[in-house]
Amino acid sequence: MTAIWGQLVGVYAIWLREVKRSLRDKGQLIGGISRPLLWVLILGIGLNPYFRGEVYGEVRFVVPYTYLQFIFPAVIVLNILYTSIQSAVSLIWDREFGFLREVLVSPMSRNMILLGKVLGGATTAVIHGCMVLVVARFVGVILTWETIFVAIGLMFALAFGLTAFGIVIANYVRGFESFGVFSNAVILPLYFTASSVFPLDPALTRAQTLVTYPEWLVIIVEYNPLTYAVDAMRGILIKFNQFDPALGFQVVGVMAVGLFVLAMWEFRKV
């Protein structure tokens, strides 16, 4: 019992260190605020008038929401995606300056060390996701306490998996500069192919969708797990789903567990 308590105290200490270090990083905080403002204010407002088309003289809405409302859940996912993966840079920092070596020779198991780091990164990512929720009323999204709690639960599961994924990346990258370039090469393609900035019209059959969009793009969107995370967040916040509502939660749950198991396997090599 004492040994288990000692492991939990160690997890808490690592979690607290990760959260404090992230919240004290002014660059991360500025990015967490400026990023959603840029997407919502510039892209959202700028493209809002073009989010409907005229078909045979009739105005046809792609989805029954404004573009601001449509993109809002995706911006939350974007903030979580950036923060989760970037938080894994702490592994490179700790490895570079010897702190990781000191922790690894402690009585804590490697899995518990990893759990503390992942929980710390996930907590910071959820905080950054909640920063976007603050402007919900501005974009016309009405939140209830139930909606907020469910959204935060989904945010945490998504952030947990993505932080673990970031640690897997950090395990193969040796320098801070290389990590930044490599992580952006992963983040941007994942985000833009997650149906985040354009919808796959749910009113169309798959055959019609393949006629409307290039087949290769539809396949990438459908096989991108982040697509279902964005869709689940839209279902929670604006009650709009392009896929089965339960599928998003299932994919995020499997992704969180699978990526953490992969991170445990990779962390053994550190």
Side-chain angles (χ1 to χ4, degrees), residues 30-43:
I30 292 172
I33 296 171
S34 64
R35 194 180 305 115
L37 288 178
L38 176 67
W39 280 81
V40 171
L41 293 178
I42 307 301
L43 188 65

Side-chain angles (χ1 to χ4, degrees), residues 3 30 56 183:
I30 292 172
Y56 300 115
S183 62

Side-chain angles (χ1 to χ4, degrees), residues 7 13 18 37 42 59 87 106-107 120 125 140 158 165 177 187 206:
Q7 295 286 323
E18 295 294 318
L37 288 178
I42 307 301
V59 174
S87 67
S106 70
L158 177 63
F165 181 51
E177 298 82 4
I187 291 171
R206 193 175 192 283

Side-chain angles (χ1 to χ4, degrees), residues 48 53 63 76 91 94-95 124 126 142 151 158 171 200 236-237 239 253 258 261 265:
N48 203 45
V63 295
I76 294 176
L91 180 65
D94 292 343
R95 187 174 58 209
T124 305
V126 170
I142 306 301
L158 177 63
N171 194 41
L200 292 180
I236 295 169
L237 296 179
K239 304 298 184 289
V261 171
W265 175 262

